[in-house]
Amino acid sequence: MTFISIIIPFNSAQRYLRDCLDSISEEKLDDAEIILISNGIDEPLDEFLEDYEDLNIKRIDFKDNIGVARARNIGIENAQGEYVYFIDCDDYVDKDSLNKLIQAAKSTKADFVNGERITTPYIRSRFNEELEKPHAVPHKKGDLSDMEYSLLLLARDKTKKYEFMSCLHSLIKKDKISDIRFDETQRYFTDYYFMIDVLENIESFYGVEGAWYAKRHRDDPVNLTSLSQELKDEKFVLYFDQYFKVKDILAKKQAKKFKILSKHITIALYKYYYYRYSLLFLNNKKECIRTVYFDKMCEISKDFDELVNWKSKREVKALQSKDMVKYEKLLRFRYGYVQTKKIMKKPSKLNLWFYNEVYNKKPTQDNKIIFISFGGKYYSDSPKYLYEYLYNNYGDKFEYVWVINDPTVEIPGNPKKVKRYSREYYKEVAQSKYWVTNGRHPGRLRKKEDQVIVSTWHGTPLKRLGLDIGDIYTKNPRIKESYIKNGEEWDYLISPNQYTTNILKSCFAYPRDILESGYPRNDILYNATDSQVNQIKENLSIPNDKKIILYAPTWRDDEFYDTGSIKFTLKLELDKLKEAISDEYIVLVRTHYFISNNLDLTPYEGFAFDVSSYNDIAELYLISDMLITDYSSVFFDFANLKRPILYYTYDLDKYEGMLRGFYIDIHEEVPGPLLFTTEEVIDSIKNIDEINDKYKEKYDKFYETYCNVDDGNASKRIVEAVWKNNL
Ligand code: C2G
């Protein structure tokens, strides 16, 4: 007989469903069935499900999206198991967790057996690492009764302090729900009412410690919106209203289980108020937070009397008496104290405090522009060329500030230099009307309404970016949300070609028009004079009787140290290269700006030079006769020079398949050969004339597609578009 029917409503995102089904498959359940209710799905499912032939899947398909309530009800109606179990298609269970629940149900025969839920932004393969984190310590059972513990798990997601009650991750005896269904007229919050009805029929409970269910926090609220993301600002108002409704229903019920549940729901709201609402109230400028949210919070706070402690007592009183001024004062005091403690631990945090509390409250200076390139690591890239164009043509019209971490870097015109995150940096960021940046800006900065961000971005993308990436392998699981936030805040976004324009629109969900002006950083590739080129060579102190190869690889999302900084392992065998080509060439090795480890090139002295700290890679392009790269955007820029490009793609399968994926077919479109060993690289260098002939047609086509806007005047076009009213 079937012991458990696993009910999965499936309405979007096969890549999420894979994690879900993989996790169930690994449980190796022999008396289970899966009821998959697919609805409103465009992607073909047959082939996908072939990978899960070992699972006993009953598929029920609907052409239209029928809603989660109806889908779950259909699941219940088709279930043959002694117990039903609900899991969402974008969630998964941690190793052995379902087995733990099943064993508990078999041994206790309880009507209701459940485990821990935790909300996570991580895909399954990275979940275990993250579970090590202290925040995932299970709720302790201690001396709670089976019922009390089970209700605690039912009401509280381990990380989401504010969610109350879910039907997920519970084994529910099927005969206890024969006449209970989800309310199909509702789109949201149907779990709550279903679970209350279920509880009515349940007599025995068992909660299992440490049997985790991972509730995925969807990383792409634009393309793969979850039900709760769909609601945006309304979410909490509706949520607060549910609170009152649910409390009302529970208050009318006498059984102890409902009293316990009611208490947990109030605790969830109290935690929401203490940890989340209070912060929103202080930092979020949205009007609803101080109006409708505030009113609701005041009303709910009447239930908090038994939960307050000495820290929250006065705040709660202020809420109860709807005294916003006092409430704000008390919050400032609370967070002021927290902040002071942080500052005592890390004095540099004081700078941020000055930014928020002092500098950012002062007026902006209309003619001030602050520039930053690669987080202040270099004086380079498009911000450099925009700056130089402005300075050379409209020098005295603006006040210029450069964020540069090394104060000895020479910058023409002697602008003010500030180190990133220093006190002066925050002061200048707050004062500058314009921020010119080539990357995402730090989440801690609070752009004022009259400030303008000019984002140049930093390359024609080969690797998928932001919202276009599938699963996230980087150290930052919330990177997609950061892309969306940046896109919302940028007033101007610059693109080097039409191909990039389309990508920038989708990867940032960019809501405005994009300035397809070409790249300021490539102006120099068209405008440089011979004497400039010679000067660059001289500055670098490299032999001038040899041809130059620039090796500029990118970084790998999965190669980082415990601290999070990115590392690079040199896979190009320089000893072999030296032996084979050193009479004709030298090699400049340039690691990506994320890379934190230094390369030791001493064994190749006179042949290989580390130019990783050289400010401007465009200058290196100018002096190089050939480029070797991998998946870095550098080749799109270098192609403006029409010089040979080789691709040393030793880890192509991993990079293309797992880490990122590409926007273009690298095998077909790039204007040079993909090479997998040092020997192949040597061979290509030695036969570079043949390679040039072989790739001539591809190169021309490539140039036409990606370099057709750049002409040496991009800076001019942008300056005239952005600062038209100031010139
Ligand atoms: N870069 C560099 N040296 C390298 C690699 C990159 O100076 N060895 C600089 C180049 O200007 C390059 C830019 O950093 O164009 C971006 O580097 P990518 O390797 O393309 O990688 P990433 O920073 O992930 O940016 O749209 C482009 C994407 O954003 C990729």
Side-chain angles (χ1 to χ4, degrees):
M1 155 144 191
T2 309
F3 187 71
I4 155 176
S5 300
I6 300 171
I7 297 173
I8 314 178
F10 173 51
N11 69 335
S12 70
Q14 236 170 55
R15 77 180 162 91
Y16 289 157
L17 183 65
R18 187 168 287 290
D19 261 358
C20 175
L21 293 180
D22 283 348
S23 76
I24 296 171
S25 173
E26 276 178 26
E27 299 276 324
K28 304 213 178 316
L29 308 172
D30 49 17
D31 43 8
E33 62 174 5
I34 293 178
I35 305 175
L36 184 71
I37 308 99
S38 88
N39 60 109
I41 297 291
D42 299 331
E43 304 149 289
L45 207 53
D46 291 354
E47 203 182 317
F48 173 85
L49 287 179
E50 276 172 18
D51 295 348
Y52 298 98
E53 271 165 358
D54 61 323
L55 291 177
N56 176 17
I57 298 182
K58 282 190 194 163
R59 211 175 117 184
I60 306 175
D61 293 343
F62 290 86
K63 209 163 142 282
D64 299 325
N65 188 325
I66 58 172
V68 65
R70 172 122 194 265
R72 282 179 181 156
N73 285 342
I74 287 164
I76 297 173
E77 272 141 33
N78 286 278
Q80 305 280 319
E82 200 177 321
Y83 285 83
V84 294
Y85 174 88
F86 298 101
I87 180 168
D88 281 347
C89 60
D90 47 2
D91 300 342
Y92 49 90
V93 282
D94 188 30
K95 203 169 175 334
D96 246 4
S97 289
L98 204 44
N99 264 313
K100 283 184 193 158
L101 297 195
I102 291 171
Q103 290 322 315
K106 284 185 174 166
S107 64
T108 64
K109 309 224 171 338
D111 296 339
F112 184 83
V113 175
N114 61 344
E116 296 267 6
R117 280 172 290 120
I118 181 166
T119 301
T120 173
Y122 291 100
I123 54 173
R124 198 169 79 94
S125 60
R126 296 204 53 197
F127 180 66
N128 284 339
E129 297 162 33
E130 297 312 315
L131 257 188
E132 308 295 333
K133 289 193 169 175
H135 67 237
V137 175
H139 283 105
K140 286 274 170 283
K141 185 164 185 182
D143 47 17
L144 294 177
S145 70
D146 287 340
M147 176 174 74
E148 283 169 320
Y149 186 59
S150 178
L151 288 169
L152 168 72
L153 298 186
L154 171 65
R156 304 258 204 91
D157 176 313
K158 189 71 208 185
T159 34
K160 271 213 168 152
K161 299 177 178 77
Y162 54 89
E163 207 159 63
F164 52 88
M165 250 198 307
S166 164
C167 69
L168 301 171
H169 204 37
S170 305
L171 292 185
I172 308 170
K173 252 199 192 140
K174 170 86 188 311
D175 61 12
K176 297 285 168 186
I177 57 168
S178 49
D179 54 350
I180 301 174
R181 294 293 179 269
F182 291 86
D183 180 352
E184 295 181 14
T185 63
Q186 302 299 314
R187 185 161 172 78
Y188 307 105
F189 305 113
T190 54
D191 280 37
Y192 298 166
Y193 305 97
F194 175 80
M195 285 316 294
I196 292 173
D197 290 345
V198 170
L199 288 184
E200 194 82 68
N201 291 352
I202 278 170
E203 273 126 45
S204 48
F205 295 79
Y206 194 83
V208 183
E209 232 177 81
W212 294 98
Y213 175 98
K215 178 139 195 52
R216 187 191 298 260
H217 171 84
R218 289 199 181 184
D219 59 12
D220 181 351
V222 174
N223 302 304
L224 288 172
T225 324
S226 67
L227 274 184
S228 69
Q229 283 162 345
E230 218 173 80
L231 285 166
K232 301 211 170 92
D233 283 353
E234 294 157 70
K235 174 162 124 192
F236 284 110
V237 179
L238 289 179
Y239 170 65
F240 297 145
D241 287 343
Q242 297 306 313
Y243 171 80
F244 291 115
K245 279 194 196 154
V246 168
K247 288 290 277 193
D248 264 0
I249 297 171
L250 295 179
K252 289 185 192 118
K253 296 186 185 286
Q254 293 310 316
K256 189 177 168 199
K257 54 193 169 192
F258 294 111
K259 305 282 164 227
I260 295 172
L261 190 63
S262 179
K263 181 188 82 184
H264 282 305
I265 289 170
T266 306
I267 294 175
L269 256 294
Y270 174 76
K271 297 213 167 194
Y272 168 77
Y273 132 74
Y274 195 76
Y275 294 107
R276 179 134 185 192
Y277 176 72
S278 55
L279 261 183
L280 285 178
F281 183 90
L282 281 185
N283 296 335
N284 197 311
K285 301 266 176 299
K286 280 183 184 156
E287 203 189 310
C288 59
I289 288 161
R290 282 169 174 261
T291 53
V292 48
Y293 281 28
F294 184 74
D295 290 345
K296 299 267 180 201
M297 229 46 249
C298 290
E299 217 172 320
I300 293 169
S301 66
K302 291 184 184 132
D303 293 348
F304 291 165
D305 280 336
E306 282 176 22
L307 300 171
V308 292
N309 56 23
W310 64 272
K311 282 194 253 172
S312 58
K313 202 170 167 183
R314 295 178 67 208
E315 280 173 31
V316 168
K317 277 252 148 352
L319 277 177
Q320 287 172 343
S321 54
K322 277 193 142 194
D323 187 341
M324 196 189 280
V325 177
K326 188 155 181 204
Y327 179 60
E328 179 155 13
K329 218 160 125 188
L330 290 164
L331 282 190
R332 291 215 175 280
F333 183 75
R334 164 152 56 113
Y335 283 107
Y337 175 73
V338 173
Q339 201 112 43
T340 314
K341 269 181 44 186
K342 278 190 191 158
I343 292 168
M344 304 250 283
K345 258 201 200 148
K346 205 170 168 200
S348 62
K349 294 229 179 239
L350 188 57
N351 299 342
L352 185 59
W353 182 87
F354 268 98
Y355 172 68
N356 285 318
E357 303 301 327
V358 183
Y359 305 140
N360 222 27
K361 293 188 169 158
K362 295 198 171 145
T364 310
Q365 287 181 19
D366 272 352
N367 67 340
K368 195 173 254 194
I369 314 178
I370 189 161
F371 296 85
I372 183 165
S373 170
F374 299 122
K377 191 165 178 186
Y378 303 115
Y379 172 59
S380 72
D381 210 68
S382 294
K384 165 181 166 180
Y385 292 93
L386 282 175
Y387 163 70
E388 292 190 0
Y389 187 84
L390 275 164
Y391 176 72
N392 290 332
N393 294 282
Y394 307 98
D396 50 356
K397 286 206 156 54
F398 299 97
E399 211 179 306
Y400 307 97
V401 182
W402 259 94
V403 181
I404 189 96
N405 299 335
D406 173 2
T408 63
V409 170
E410 280 180 33
I411 302 183
N414 221 5
K416 179 159 188 183
K417 294 179 201 164
V418 293
K419 201 168 159 182
R420 189 158 81 139
Y421 301 149
S422 64
R423 185 82 59 89
E424 281 296 294
Y425 160 86
Y426 284 117
K427 194 171 175 183
E428 297 298 341
V429 165
Q431 278 180 359
S432 298
K433 161 119 177 177
Y434 299 96
W435 304 354
V436 178
T437 160
N438 73 341
R440 285 174 292 124
H441 52 276
R444 66 185 76 170
L445 297 185
R446 312 234 173 279
K447 180 193 175 202
K448 290 183 280 183
E449 252 170 36
D450 63 346
Q451 288 183 310
V452 175
I453 305 185
V454 181
S455 168
T456 69
W457 200 237
H458 51 268
T460 294
L462 167 70
K463 318 178 275 190
R464 291 189 166 269
L465 291 175
L467 299 183
D468 297 338
I469 303 178
D471 296 327
I472 299 290
Y473 282 85
T474 41
K475 59 193 161 89
N476 175 7
R478 298 200 178 244
I479 192 158
K480 292 189 183 176
E481 285 150 86
S482 137
Y483 269 68
I484 297 171
K485 182 171 175 284
N486 273 263
E488 278 167 3
E489 295 196 338
W490 292 342
D491 300 272
Y492 295 94
L493 177 54
I494 285 154
S495 160
N497 45 48
Q498 195 187 4
Y499 157 86
T500 306
T501 304
N502 294 336
I503 290 173
L504 293 175
K505 272 187 202 154
S506 74
C507 75
F508 285 102
Y510 191 68
R512 283 170 279 280
D513 287 343
I514 289 174
L515 262 182
E516 198 178 287
S517 52
Y519 258 160
R521 69 180 187 182
N522 291 340
D523 284 350
I524 189 176
L525 305 182
Y526 290 87
N527 301 335
T529 59
D530 288 348
S531 76
Q532 263 175 303
V533 176
N534 290 334
Q535 188 62 50
I536 297 166
K537 282 189 189 164
E538 232 168 78
N539 293 348
L540 275 166
S541 317
I542 46 175
N544 60 5
D545 57 338
K546 301 265 167 72
K547 286 196 236 159
I548 299 174
I549 298 173
L550 174 62
Y551 176 46
T554 194
W555 60 292
R556 272 106 186 117
D557 300 63
D558 64 337
E559 289 186 23
F560 47 84
Y561 296 104
D562 289 347
T563 52
S565 49
I566 310 286
K567 60 179 163 186
F568 180 72
T569 319
L570 190 64
K571 292 275 165 64
L572 189 64
E573 292 160 283
L574 288 174
D575 45 349
K576 291 185 183 163
L577 219 60
K578 184 174 176 189
E579 203 182 306
I581 60 163
S582 60
D583 49 349
E584 201 179 341
Y585 291 97
I586 58 164
V587 176
L588 306 182
V589 182
R590 161 88 171 184
T591 54
H592 185 272
Y593 54 91
F594 277 174
I595 305 299
S596 58
N597 52 319
N598 290 324
L599 301 175
D600 179 13
L601 300 187
T602 39
Y604 322 105
E605 220 180 315
F607 170 66
F609 300 81
D610 185 359
V611 291
S612 304
S613 59
Y614 192 82
N615 272 282
D616 186 1
I617 193 168
E619 295 185 0
L620 301 177
Y621 300 151
L622 273 175
I623 60 166
S624 300
D625 299 279
M626 188 190 309
L627 171 73
I628 305 176
T629 185
D630 42 23
Y631 327 105
S632 176
S633 58
V634 295
F635 65 90
F636 289 99
D637 304 274
F638 190 78
N640 279 285
L641 295 168
K642 297 192 171 167
R643 295 177 197 164
I645 303 172
L646 307 178
Y647 295 82
Y648 183 39
T649 48
Y650 54 88
D651 54 356
L652 179 63
D653 284 349
K654 181 178 82 169
Y655 214 106
E656 190 177 20
M658 179 182 98
L659 288 186
R660 286 271 187 119
F662 302 131
Y663 286 110
I664 61 177
D665 184 352
I666 191 171
H667 306 268
E668 282 303 314
E669 260 204 74
V670 295
L674 303 184
L675 309 166
F676 299 92
T677 60
T678 302
E679 285 72 16
E680 285 177 7
V681 173
I682 293 170
D683 197 48
S684 294
I685 296 171
K686 288 196 155 174
N687 297 295
I688 201 65
D689 292 338
E690 279 166 38
I691 300 269
N692 288 344
D693 286 347
K694 189 169 163 202
Y695 283 89
K696 165 110 185 45
E697 216 173 295
K698 264 194 187 171
Y699 209 133
D700 289 346
K701 206 167 151 211
F702 184 88
Y703 183 92
E704 208 25 63
T705 313
Y706 302 103
C707 310
N708 62 342
V709 185
D710 280 331
D711 59 359
N713 292 310
S715 304
K716 181 172 190 291
R717 285 190 282 271
I718 294 161
V719 165
E720 288 172 1
V722 175
W723 287 277
K724 52 185 175 295
N725 297 326
N726 308 59
L727 305 179

